Amino acid sequence: MKQGWRWYGESDPISLKEIRQAGVTDVVTALYGRKPGETWPVAEIRRLAKKVRDAGMTWSVVESVPVHEDVKKRTGDFRRHVANYRKTLENLAACGVKTVCYNFMPVLDWTRSDLAHELPDGSTCLGYNAYEVAAFDLFALKRPDAAKDYDAKTKARAKRLWAKYSPKERMRVQKAILTGLPGTVDDLTPAQFLRELKTYAGVDDARLRANLYAFLNDVTPTLEKCGVDLCIHPDDPPHPIFGLPRVLSTAADVRRMVKACPSKHVGLTLCTGSLGASPENDEVAIFREFAERVFFCHFRNLEYEEEGVFHESRCHLVGKTNMPELMLALLREEKRRGADIVVRPDHGRLMEIDKRRNCYCGYSYGGRLVGLAELRGLEIGLKAFSRGV
Ligand code: DNO
């Protein structure tokens, strides 16, 4: 396992020196100032790569080069955006950065309803409550057609929940859903969000899926020429929300993608927290099935309170995902390919040592430091005791 860490650039409250002291070798970053659809200039990429190198690490994975909404819908100026995307991939490759993560979720990137779920020890983590999301959709956003998307039990429970919530709690849910997290999308007001949702009218799963494959096949010649591995991040949560289509939530979705896009450079970011947000997904089985196509990993864990209600685990190794089995599968794949895969501890609790810092949600120092140490310990333990890895 190559030890990765997401760094948000100069505006990140965590310095490269601290990241290096965490044991990290591979920095995961991006030109976060660039908007979706823009070409990333070589000089800017070089500058960032040099900064990371000067700190004793390598910028090996981009998270993310965002895909413009026009490309997802295949409308408007999408051809120019695809051409720019290809140029960005070329420029990255010219600077030695050859693993690129992206997602194909319409309008919103990953979605949580609680950015500060408190654990018994006072540290906080990210949480998701499907009833809060439904309540926001039905009673705050008042999305036309929302009522059609929920069953009677969910609607009744969401109604009770919203009636009980104070304006402050309601705002907490709204902000968690609509606040663009760094490196994702811009903050949206409910009105803007509704407008964006409308632009997806008529784009169903089948259409979005076809658009994803068309995009991948458009960029494949560049991937092959430059040796870039492009790895899609799964939908999070891995089921439809706000009436939006979903195309990468399950093993079947990955299976279809690799069939439609046979290039060996088209692959997956194995994100246990996103896939794990559906009880039906088996993250270890998904890794094993698509091991050759996994170019980058996000390891974290979830604890379920009940179906549809979960928060991040207090330990990266314990929870929904069987992390020891997954680590073993990773080590076997690394041995098979003769190269290690970058794994980053995805998210971490906000601990006391983080409180004075203005960390991005989930991207604390303390919590991720613990997470990385746990993963590293697991790897060393498995290597010591499992013959053959
Ligand atoms: C959340 C992240 C996602 C991820 C993008 C990749 O913490 O895992 O925002 O970076 O979906 O495009």
Side-chain angles (χ1 to χ4, degrees):
M1 155 178 117
K2 281 192 188 157
Q3 299 173 56
W5 186 284
R6 191 175 194 177
W7 182 59
Y8 283 105
E10 288 310 326
S11 68
D12 193 319
I14 297 161
S15 68
L16 286 171
K17 194 167 185 178
E18 289 170 299
I19 295 174
R20 180 153 190 229
Q21 289 176 5
V24 170
T25 51
D26 292 72
V27 170
V28 176
T29 190
L31 297 187
Y32 289 111
R34 293 277 163 192
K35 293 278 176 213
E38 284 184 56
T39 304
W40 294 9
V42 169
E44 256 180 76
I45 299 170
R46 263 221 182 102
R47 224 174 298 134
L48 187 57
K50 181 173 182 312
K51 225 177 256 173
V52 174
R53 212 170 36 249
D54 289 349
M57 296 169 288
T58 309
W59 174 16
S60 41
V61 182
V62 183
E63 183 172 350
S64 304
V65 180
V67 177
H68 194 279
E69 294 297 312
D70 279 354
V71 175
K72 296 179 197 164
K73 289 177 280 196
R74 246 175 144 74
T75 53
D77 229 359
F78 80 92
R79 276 179 224 284
R80 188 171 56 87
H81 296 312
V82 172
N84 290 353
Y85 205 97
R86 293 178 65 164
K87 187 73 192 136
T88 294
L89 296 175
E90 262 177 49
N91 291 352
L92 283 163
C95 301
V97 190
K98 294 190 172 190
T99 305
V100 175
C101 171
Y102 70 105
N103 72 73
F104 222 72
M105 287 178 256
V107 188
L108 294 175
D109 198 299
W110 65 311
T111 300
R112 289 292 167 269
S113 60
D114 193 354
L115 303 181
H117 175 90
E118 196 165 319
L119 292 167
D121 64 5
S123 59
T124 61
C125 63
L126 300 159
Y128 188 85
N129 181 329
Y131 300 98
E132 288 183 341
V133 175
F136 168 72
D137 193 8
L138 291 160
F139 312 118
L141 192 63
K142 300 194 173 76
R143 177 172 61 90
D145 290 343
K148 280 196 237 145
D149 290 345
Y150 303 100
D151 61 26
K153 189 188 129 235
T154 306
K155 278 189 273 202
R157 185 159 159 189
K159 193 170 178 187
R160 283 198 301 279
L161 197 71
W162 213 241
K164 198 179 77 187
Y165 274 10
S166 64
K168 204 169 144 208
E169 280 172 302
R170 292 178 179 183
M171 194 43 81
R172 185 257 301 157
V173 176
Q174 171 169 322
K175 273 179 110 172
I177 296 171
L178 295 185
T179 302
L181 291 149
T184 59
V185 288
D186 292 332
D187 293 3
L188 293 169
T189 62
Q192 284 167 331
F193 184 42
L194 280 174
R195 259 201 310 279
E196 288 291 322
L197 291 178
K198 240 182 163 169
T199 67
Y200 275 85
V203 183
D204 58 6
D205 286 10
R207 170 69 69 83
L208 189 66
R209 205 179 288 282
N211 294 353
L212 167 65
Y213 305 159
F215 163 69
L216 287 172
N217 288 324
D218 283 347
V219 300
T220 287
T222 309
L223 302 179
E224 310 239 312
K225 185 180 85 185
C226 303
V228 170
D229 290 330
L230 191 60
C231 41
I232 192 163
H233 186 282
D235 302 328
D236 192 347
H239 55 76
I241 47 170
F242 303 109
L244 290 167
R246 283 299 205 210
V247 293
L248 213 102
S249 301
T250 63
D253 289 337
V254 185
R255 223 169 276 137
R256 288 164 85 164
M257 179 184 78
V258 300
K259 194 158 169 231
C261 309
S263 168
K264 289 277 175 273
H265 294 281
V266 170
L268 179 68
T269 298
L270 200 291
C271 178
T272 55
S274 302
L275 293 166
S278 161
E280 280 98 61
N281 280 337
D282 177 343
E283 299 77 69
V284 181
I286 293 177
F287 182 92
R288 287 198 188 117
E289 182 174 348
F290 305 105
E292 275 179 35
R293 302 272 196 132
V294 174
F295 304 137
F296 173 42
C297 292
H298 289 176
F299 283 0
R300 65 183 153 103
N301 235 312
L302 301 178
E303 280 173 22
Y304 277 78
E305 286 158 43
E306 57 176 298
E307 191 165 340
V309 185
F310 59 81
H311 57 80
E312 291 178 349
S313 173
R314 69 207 75 199
C315 170
H316 279 59
L317 308 187
V318 175
K320 158 79 171 68
T321 302
N322 186 337
M323 204 54 86
E325 280 293 348
L326 183 57
M327 184 63 84
L328 198 57
L330 177 97
L331 297 177
R332 290 200 172 123
E333 172 58 16
E334 289 182 336
K335 189 163 181 217
R336 190 200 62 80
R337 63 171 87 164
D340 288 352
I341 301 172
V342 176
V343 176
R344 70 173 181 81
D346 191 18
H347 305 174
R349 291 172 296 136
L350 203 71
M351 301 167 66
E352 284 311 292
I353 58 165
D354 297 308
K355 296 264 162 89
R356 266 165 289 127
R357 293 162 179 262
N358 205 8
C359 290
Y360 299 123
C361 247
Y363 291 94
S364 60
Y365 190 61
R368 281 190 291 168
L369 193 62
V370 173
L372 183 59
E374 288 165 344
L375 292 166
R376 192 158 57 211
L378 177 62
E379 181 196 22
I380 293 171
L382 284 172
K383 279 190 166 159
F385 292 106
S386 315
R387 280 174 215 283
V389 295

